[in-house]
Amino acid sequence: MTRTDLNILIGGEAGQGLITIGQLLAKSLVRAGYSIVVTQSYQSRIRGGHNTFAIRVGLDEVIAPQESVDLLVALDRATVTLHRQDLSPNGLILVDESVDVSDDASLKVPYKQLAKDKFSNIASLGVAGALLGLEEKLVARTLHDLFGKKHPQVMEENRQVLEAAFRWCSGQPASIHKLAPIANPPQRLMMNGNEAIALSALSAGLKFLAFYPMTPSTSICLNLAGHAGQMGLIVEQAEDEIAAINMAIGASFAGAPSMVATSGGGFALMAEGVSLAAMTETPVVIVVSQRPGPATGLPTRTEQGDLEFVLHAGHGEFPRAVFAPGTVEECFHLTRRAFELAELYQGPMFLLTDQFLADSYRAVMPFDVENLPPVSVSTEAVGSSPYKRFAITENGVSPRLLPGMSEHLIVADSDEHTEDGHITEDLSVRRQMVEKRLRKGRGFRAEVIPPDMEGQDKSDLLMVSWGSSKGPVKEAASRLRSGGQRVATLHFSQVWPLMPEQFMGHLEAARQVVCVEINATGQLARLIRRETGFQIKKKVLQYDGLPLTPESILRGLMTIL
Amino acid sequence: MVTIDDYGHYDTAWCPGCGNFSILKAVKQALVASQLEPHEVLFVSGIGQAAKAPHYLNANRFNGLHGRSLPVATGAKLANPKLTVIVESGDGCNYGEGGNHFLAALRRNIDVTLLVHNNQVYGLTKGQASPTSAEGFVTKAQPEGVTLRSFNPIAVAVAMQAGFVARGFSGMIDHLSGLIQQGIAHRGFSLIDVLQPCVSFNKVNTFAWYKDRCDPLPPAYDPTDWEAAMKVARQWEDKIPIGIIYRNDLLPFEEHFPVLSQGPLVGRNVDRVKLKRIMEGYG
């Protein structure tokens, strides 16, 4: 008998290489044609502690993490203690034979026989891969792609360990955790949310990124730094987040499509710069990867606590759009969208993601990067001279020229300014300029991505969610539907502006509406009420730093319904 | 042929007698002497009376946030290395609010000229102490006198071996103009700290006070001698040395980026073949 859906949890201390094993196993599964959802849980430390790398794998598309564990790959004793309770009825614990565990569910592996100490990770990879029914040569090829080119000697030793692990497994009772094989697996990518954001930014024509490292946004910046030379962009580690956003504004003012990426605390420092980008009408894409606050909070965990913050950050009034991707694919498509809007409407645009999605590897179909065009930076020549950078127009968008690219002079000011960019205290000009800037919002309000409605309108229960909780909420709904209940979901991947006509009908038609969010106060529910008057009274709120799972949502629903 | 008139003549919002007038004149003279067309130059400023200066001449201008002109200038220079980028702002903006950016700019050595109007007091907010105010300087905010030690930008810049470190005086326009011209010509970061009176809020460091003390360095002075420069940088007594105090020829920051050897970043294509290869790396 083979399996169609399994959950694997690899646990150990920081520094034991569990992320490497996890990535290799996940990549092997993707190459074999399976769908995956990875959840990484780690502590804010470089060595020790307890970290996990969970891979939910399925023949059909999997969209959410799962709590019960079918295969527990324990790299230390603590992993067994901490996760034994999560083991499913037929679950198996893979653990070194020296670990003192007397448990029927454990498979004691003689790692020391299979591998020299520093290669014991590869032995665990081999044993797990073999039990899942992966082909040895596929795992070996994945391993080779990671180590082979740089370290042929290491690769050879790895290959021998892998072979020994597979051989050892063949002498064990038949695995009950073999996945049904997939013939002719499709070519897919294994990518996490942050990698998709970085790839998308390159595709959109990003030419300048400044950053100050902050978990969980850092990997976006490191990824782009790694590709900067060959893709012709500048990546600069700034002295602080204030410098980062001001550098991005300066670069964008001079014509380079620009981005910053940070998390809540760093974004707090950027707030004045957000306002500057709006006032000087300078395009900039701002990625805020959320983690639990206030202050330093839980640096390596997840939360959706900064919706209201990002919505309101920056003094004064100006239009903005906020995208909140729910999947890795959406990370790609919505980052491009943010770049397009930033250039088109000349101002700050936001991408709001979180640690769960940032680090969550998925199997995705390749993107059409060969045909998707980069954003075009407006450099159109204008008739009237002298040039007016902030010319009053019907849609609020002024023709944009760049300094040094023509004989026209470009003047921008953080003070209120005249059409030609000079500081003014003429209060009638002030009124005109406020209205001009706000008119730009009308343009992108007409193009808001509608929330994704799944299920019937006349449902007994409508679950409302946003951002990275998309998969868990949909799966929870699907499980309830399998139980015969009429459940629908309404998911927002663009959380601002909200266009009530796009979703009010759904809210009003449902017998019961529940908002599901990873925060303690229900920020989307509050926003919907503010914008529409519709009050979502019931909420499933989780704020322990962990991502939502279908199980945690169902438990939450039980307590309120 | 670029002339003073190309840089325009504007009404200003400064107090009569302000040192800013002379600095503005020196800046225009330096731009003309450098034969730079207005559209080749970008002025970036912050907030303060000094930060208004770029509004009073013709050039590209970005008047940003208090303290943040150096990062904006850094970004602009990296996006278009052909621009001559000059930051013009005051002592509060650069040494107070923007102190971290000042330190980073000294280390980064990007080819930007920083012109600091240093009148040792806050003008725009009406007379509070600035980072360069002398100890004991009495203001409404510091009624018992300033107790913090005065910030010495020249000593800090020389200690960090910044590319070009100079001090000028608004009362010596031609001398100052020469410093600005050399700062613009220098490939790398240039700091020009300009001493100037504030006629409204600094009754101690007046025009006469500076005039009595400012003393051009002798022709024999060697600004490439770092140890000598450290000594000169700390002189602030009866004589205050002005001129180029230190310079070196370290590689400018932007020259570390091969991509910039082809000029501005705007209009560059995305190499979609390479991009596809990057994407396939995830396969």
Side-chain angles (χ1 to χ4, degrees), chain A residues 244-556:
Chain A
I245 193 164
N246 278 279
M247 282 182 189
I249 289 169
S252 181
F253 176 70
S258 297
M259 182 169 98
V260 292
T262 184
S263 189
F267 181 62
L269 293 180
M270 292 185 180
E272 195 185 14
V274 171
S275 193
L276 177 68
M279 188 57 149
T280 57
E281 305 199 35
T282 309
V284 61
V285 172
I286 300 163
V287 181
V288 180
S289 190
Q290 298 163 101
R291 65 192 221 187
T296 311
L298 289 170
T300 60
R301 310 291 172 166
T302 205
E303 196 160 276
Q304 297 181 312
D306 295 333
L307 172 59
E308 288 176 333
F309 179 37
V310 166
L311 201 57
H312 300 290
H315 51 297
E317 296 172 299
F318 52 89
R320 75 185 83 198
V322 184
F323 299 97
T327 61
V328 168
E329 286 89 344
E330 284 183 4
C331 283
F332 182 87
H333 296 299
L334 296 178
T335 301
R336 284 187 51 91
R337 185 88 189 111
F339 272 94
E340 286 162 5
L341 288 190
E343 287 298 331
L344 212 53
Y345 295 101
Q346 303 177 9
M349 297 293 164
F350 297 86
L351 196 77
L352 189 53
T353 172
D354 57 34
Q355 180 270 328
F356 166 56
L357 189 56
D359 295 330
S360 182
Y361 290 99
R362 313 278 170 101
V364 296
M365 292 302 288
F367 302 101
D368 191 14
V369 292
E370 279 172 302
N371 293 305
L372 290 167
V375 294
S376 61
V377 177
S378 160
T379 50
E380 59 189 286
V382 281
S384 66
S385 199
Y387 169 68
K388 291 175 175 171
R389 171 67 191 90
F390 302 99
I392 303 274
T393 61
E394 202 178 318
N395 65 3
V397 178
S398 313
R400 178 170 174 238
L401 292 184
L402 305 171
M405 302 304 287
S406 73
E407 299 214 341
H408 291 290
L409 300 181
I410 321 303
V411 182
D413 203 306
S414 68
D415 287 90
E416 190 56 274
H417 41 260
T418 53
E419 285 184 285
D420 61 6
H422 281 289
I423 183 168
T424 186
E425 296 208 25
D426 179 328
L427 304 184
S428 68
V429 171
R430 156 70 182 173
R431 207 167 53 236
Q432 287 178 337
M433 281 295 166
V434 169
E435 290 163 2
K436 165 206 169 359
R437 287 188 290 269
L438 292 178
R439 274 203 299 281
K440 296 194 289 183
R442 276 195 218 150
F444 58 84
R445 269 203 299 280
E447 304 175 63
V448 167
I449 298 167
D452 171 26
M453 174 74 187
E454 190 177 271
Q456 299 296 314
D457 250 348
K458 287 194 176 159
S459 58
D460 294 328
L461 170 65
L462 174 67
M463 282 193 273
V464 178
S465 60
W466 65 281
S468 75
S469 8
K470 186 174 190 173
V473 170
K474 276 177 183 267
E475 184 171 334
S478 150
R479 289 193 197 181
L480 290 171
R481 278 195 293 266
S482 313
Q485 300 188 51
R486 293 198 305 175
V487 178
T489 56
L490 181 69
H491 182 84
F492 290 79
S493 290
Q494 180 168 358
V495 286
W496 190 258
L498 288 186
M499 306 302 287
E501 64 273 21
Q502 291 179 336
F503 57 85
M504 276 311 290
H506 302 310
L507 291 179
E508 282 163 351
R511 199 173 64 78
Q512 190 149 223
V513 182
V514 172
C515 201
V516 183
E517 302 186 51
I518 312 182
N519 58 50
T521 60
Q523 297 190 17
L524 178 68
R526 195 152 55 234
L527 185 60
I528 289 174
R529 186 178 186 191
R530 192 188 83 184
E531 293 300 305
T532 67
F534 188 95
Q535 189 177 6
I536 304 176
K537 289 188 185 140
K538 296 200 165 161
K539 303 178 194 92
V540 171
L541 302 173
Q542 183 173 311
Y543 40 88
D544 56 3
L546 296 173
L548 286 165
T549 62
E551 294 92 333
S552 70
I553 295 167
L554 294 175
R555 279 197 302 273

